[in-house]
Amino acid sequence: MNKEVTFIRIEQEEEIAAAAKLAAEIWREHYVSLITREQIDYMLEKFQSVPAITEQIERGGYVYYLIRGEDADVGYMAVREADGKLFLSKFYIAKPYRGRGYASRADEYLERLCRERGLTAIWLTVNRDNASSIAVYTKKGFRTVREQAADIGNGFIMDDYVMEKEIPPLQ
């Protein structure tokens, strides 16, 4: 990819709305083969709606970024520092832009954030049945460190792998 990619820290209402819109589009396209539509709708409202994202930014310690390239918002991600590591809470690329190097650029950006902040690793959770995402994370150097099942309410369980990538300091 030769085009410029920018990571825009989400702070304004219209940026939050853009992330929520991307979430709805991506989740309804990608996750329909992994979880029910009811769970998708529930999770979007609980975790990826404008009020939910606003709450995470204002009170949860999360930093959201729009990923902009090709004159469009191609995806978004959210991170939070904890215990000397960076938690990659959200990372999504819209279908038309997958396979174009955006995940690699985001991975480079996250590694740089870790090094600048003295953090030792990036970790995330991923649905155990989400083979395409697991393959991308594995290719980027993440390894599965454990499994977890989390009750997220309304009778829904998130059945995930926890994956982690160590970030050695620059020598």
Side-chain angles (χ1 to χ4, degrees):
M1 172 194 312
N2 296 328
K3 296 183 180 172
E4 181 159 339
V5 178
T6 53
F7 298 91
I8 299 155
R9 185 173 177 152
I10 295 175
E11 297 174 307
Q12 306 299 317
E13 285 181 31
E14 61 272 9
E15 295 163 340
I16 292 171
K21 182 176 185 283
L22 276 167
E25 292 169 4
I26 293 167
W27 277 62
R28 290 192 172 104
E29 171 268 320
H30 185 75
Y31 287 99
V32 72
S33 64
L34 299 172
I35 57 179
T36 65
R37 288 186 192 281
E38 293 79 18
Q39 186 170 351
I40 291 168
D41 290 342
Y42 174 78
M43 292 179 72
L44 284 170
E45 184 61 31
K46 184 171 175 97
F47 301 114
Q48 296 295 271
S49 63
V50 169
I53 293 170
T54 302
E55 174 74 15
Q56 290 166 35
I57 291 170
E58 291 179 354
R59 292 182 222 16
Y62 288 87
V63 178
Y64 272 75
Y65 297 92
L66 284 171
I67 303 168
R68 189 162 291 156
E70 301 182 43
D71 298 321
D73 293 332
V74 302
Y76 71 101
M77 59 187 179
V79 297
R80 182 172 54 90
E81 286 184 40
D83 302 322
K85 298 179 182 181
L86 189 69
F87 173 44
L88 178 57
S89 172
K90 320 275 186 299
F91 179 55
Y92 302 102
I93 304 291
K95 186 174 184 173
Y97 303 102
R98 292 181 200 143
R100 295 189 185 185
Y102 291 107
S104 294
R105 296 293 290 276
D107 188 54
E108 292 165 7
Y109 184 80
L110 293 170
E111 283 188 24
R112 190 167 63 248
L113 278 180
C114 283
R115 287 189 175 100
E116 288 170 358
R117 297 174 183 183
L119 304 174
T120 61
I122 303 168
W123 70 279
L124 56 88
T125 60
V126 60
N127 182 296
R128 292 182 204 182
D129 295 322
N130 192 346
S132 60
S133 294
I134 292 167
V136 169
Y137 294 131
T138 301
K139 183 179 177 184
K140 303 295 176 216
F142 286 83
R143 62 182 180 81
T144 301
V145 294
R146 70 180 184 276
E147 298 179 7
Q148 74 178 24
D151 184 338
I152 58 168
N154 219 35
F156 297 118
I157 304 291
M158 287 180 20
D159 218 3
D160 294 331
Y161 290 125
V162 176
M163 299 184 79
E164 186 170 291
K165 177 181 183 175
E166 291 184 26
I167 307 297
L170 292 176
Q171 298 298 331

